[in-house]
Amino acid sequence: MIDLRLLREDPDRVRASQRARGEDVDVVDALLSADERRRSSSVRFDELRSEQKSLGKLIPKAAGDEKAELLKRAGELSAAVKAADAEQNEAAEEAQRLLLQIGNIVHPDVPRGGEDDFVVLETVGTPRDFAAEGFEPKDHLELGQTLGAIDVERGAKVSGSRFYYLTGVGALLELALVNAAIARATEAGFTPVLTPALVKPRAMEGTGFLGQAAQDVYRLDNDDLYLVGTSEVPLAAYHMDEIIDADQLPLRYAGFSPCFRREAGTYGKDTRGIFRVHQFDKVEMFSYIAPEDAEAEHARLLQWEKEWLTALELPYQVIDVATGDLGSSASRKFDCEAWIPTQGKYRELTSTSNCNEFQSRRLSVRMRDGKNVKPLATLNGTLCAVPRTIVALLENHQQADGSVRVPEVLRPYLGGREFLEPVAK
């Protein structure tokens, strides 16, 4: 959540941020009003309690009419104290409810607009000219079926649409990607973590996934638990309600987990193959860092993502995501989009977000710097979302005979294979 002091001191900045996101601006004034009611009722409660305590000292010393009058006043004060306390609690609850509706303050350099208003920061690598090579590229599903690697028909039979099996070299390719990604993250100083796939509501709400993203979340009603859509959630909550000494920072974790997403609102989009699915595995980078170092850490996360995609020998572009497509927690987000030959366009493979202190305030994760205790900054970055990475690898490294060349970085994890070969039918 945002800092209430910022709201009080510069409400126009918060209004401008909400407007840039395409979110409700009126909630800012509603929150200011609720916060003022909370503070004024708190002052009144303190004043009444002080008077009540003073009166309590006078009553034992009084007698006759004076005592009767004091007792009458004590009764009135008792009712007033209860009313002020109730008003204070009601205003605090309303302020908290409204505060959770306000997204992170947008970084001033983020491009304004919606999903299609991103800015391309750089393009790396050159897409292959398959026509010059003399053959028409196949899409990832056809390649995956030829390799005996992907089975969506049985996935749909067993679980429904947007589910799949990875079989044979498909399963081995996932394991190779995960192991290679974790090895690179470990080398860069990240601590590998296998995270829970089920979390309590506070963890989900604290990371900002029960706001505008709530429609994409799976909930287990009987247990009051949520299936995570990314290990960002359990990693952000890992140090919930803790104070971390400044000299321990930065803390960097590389989480591996299954991810579950309803993909609500994507009916008819990417229905073929495994690009957009309900369940997948992912390696996620996550950083806890001092707020003043957050922007530099964001650049580092992006650099690690770029180095990974370069090692996979994929052509890609880096975009600065526009305000309307940030998600509530991010102040700024960079995506790396890989070229998908059969779609003739770049598609998102990785994403890295600077959440500043937004999540740490919600989850009460703080840092101790000398005598000061304050919220720290959290950042996240995809290292390897497995299915989409497999899509990009198969399509970009396919050969005319239906085989797929294995990038050198993955060969040690695939028994030295240089090519994935079609299976005999």
Side-chain angles (χ1 to χ4, degrees), residues 54-337:
S54 298
L55 197 65
K57 294 176 182 178
L58 295 175
I59 290 174
K61 302 175 183 178
D65 290 344
E66 181 187 6
K67 187 166 187 175
E69 189 65 30
L70 288 174
L71 287 171
K72 178 183 177 182
R73 177 58 183 157
E76 293 171 350
L77 275 174
S78 179
V81 165
K82 289 180 181 177
D85 189 36
E87 183 181 355
Q88 176 183 242
N89 291 336
E90 182 183 343
E93 289 176 6
E94 177 71 358
Q96 181 69 11
R97 183 185 68 81
L98 293 167
L99 187 57
L100 291 174
Q101 295 180 29
I102 295 180
N104 201 352
I105 303 300
V106 172
H107 189 285
D109 293 339
V110 174
R112 266 49 180 171
E115 183 179 357
D116 298 324
D117 296 310
F118 59 84
V119 171
V120 177
L121 299 178
E122 64 176 312
T123 301
V124 180
T126 304
R128 283 171 63 186
D129 185 346
F130 285 94
E133 295 182 33
F135 74 101
E136 184 77 17
K138 299 172 182 174
D139 75 5
H140 74 277
L141 181 56
E142 185 176 356
L143 289 162
Q145 290 171 335
T146 301
L147 296 169
I150 301 172
D151 191 335
V152 294
E153 293 181 358
R154 289 187 176 90
K157 177 180 71 174
V158 173
S159 302
S161 63
R162 298 190 192 272
F163 287 94
Y164 62 97
Y165 285 86
L166 292 181
T167 58
V169 293
L172 294 175
L173 183 55
E174 158 147 353
L175 295 172
L177 283 165
V178 170
N179 279 294
I182 288 291
R184 292 180 74 89
T186 303
E187 186 180 353
F190 288 80
T191 300
V193 183
L194 298 179
T195 66
L198 290 165
V199 297
K200 296 177 181 179
R202 188 181 169 206
M204 193 67 79
E205 183 178 70
T207 41
F209 286 96
L210 291 187
Q212 64 191 119
Q215 62 177 349
D216 271 336
V217 175
Y218 286 100
R219 182 170 184 264
L220 279 67
D221 292 340
N222 290 343
D223 305 283
D224 197 21
L225 293 171
Y226 290 89
L227 284 166
V228 300
T230 166
S231 59
E232 172 193 342
V233 176
L235 288 174
Y238 187 53
H239 290 292
M240 182 168 62
D241 298 324
E242 295 180 20
I243 298 174
I244 300 168
D245 288 333
D247 59 9
Q248 290 183 261
L249 299 176
L251 290 174
R252 297 188 178 107
Y253 300 107
F256 173 70
S257 77
C259 306
F260 303 88
R261 301 184 184 182
R262 290 188 181 277
E263 293 295 349
T266 62
Y267 180 80
K269 289 177 64 177
D270 298 311
T271 55
R272 180 173 168 81
I274 63 171
F275 189 85
R276 191 183 298 275
V277 291
H278 290 310
Q279 177 185 341
F280 60 96
D281 295 326
K282 180 157 67 87
V283 177
E284 180 83 0
M285 300 179 289
F286 196 89
S287 299
Y288 294 87
I289 201 161
E292 59 270 23
D293 298 326
E295 283 199 43
E297 183 73 357
H298 200 196
R300 283 189 287 268
L301 288 170
L302 176 59
Q303 184 60 34
W304 283 315
E305 291 179 345
K306 288 167 56 180
E307 289 172 359
W308 170 243
L309 295 182
T310 299
L312 294 177
E313 302 172 43
L314 295 173
Y316 64 92
Q317 67 178 14
V318 180
I319 67 169
D320 198 349
V321 176
T323 52
D325 198 30
L326 284 176
S328 64
S329 296
S331 65
R332 193 173 196 181
K333 180 164 69 170
F334 301 121
D335 285 356
C336 292
E337 301 183 325

Side-chain angles (χ1 to χ4, degrees), residues 37-54:
R37 289 201 313 275
R38 180 190 64 79
R39 288 193 292 164
S40 61
S41 60
S42 178
V43 170
R44 176 161 173 72
F45 173 80
D46 290 342
E47 290 173 346
L48 289 168
R49 281 288 291 144
S50 178
E51 185 181 350
Q52 192 178 42
K53 289 177 181 178
S54 298

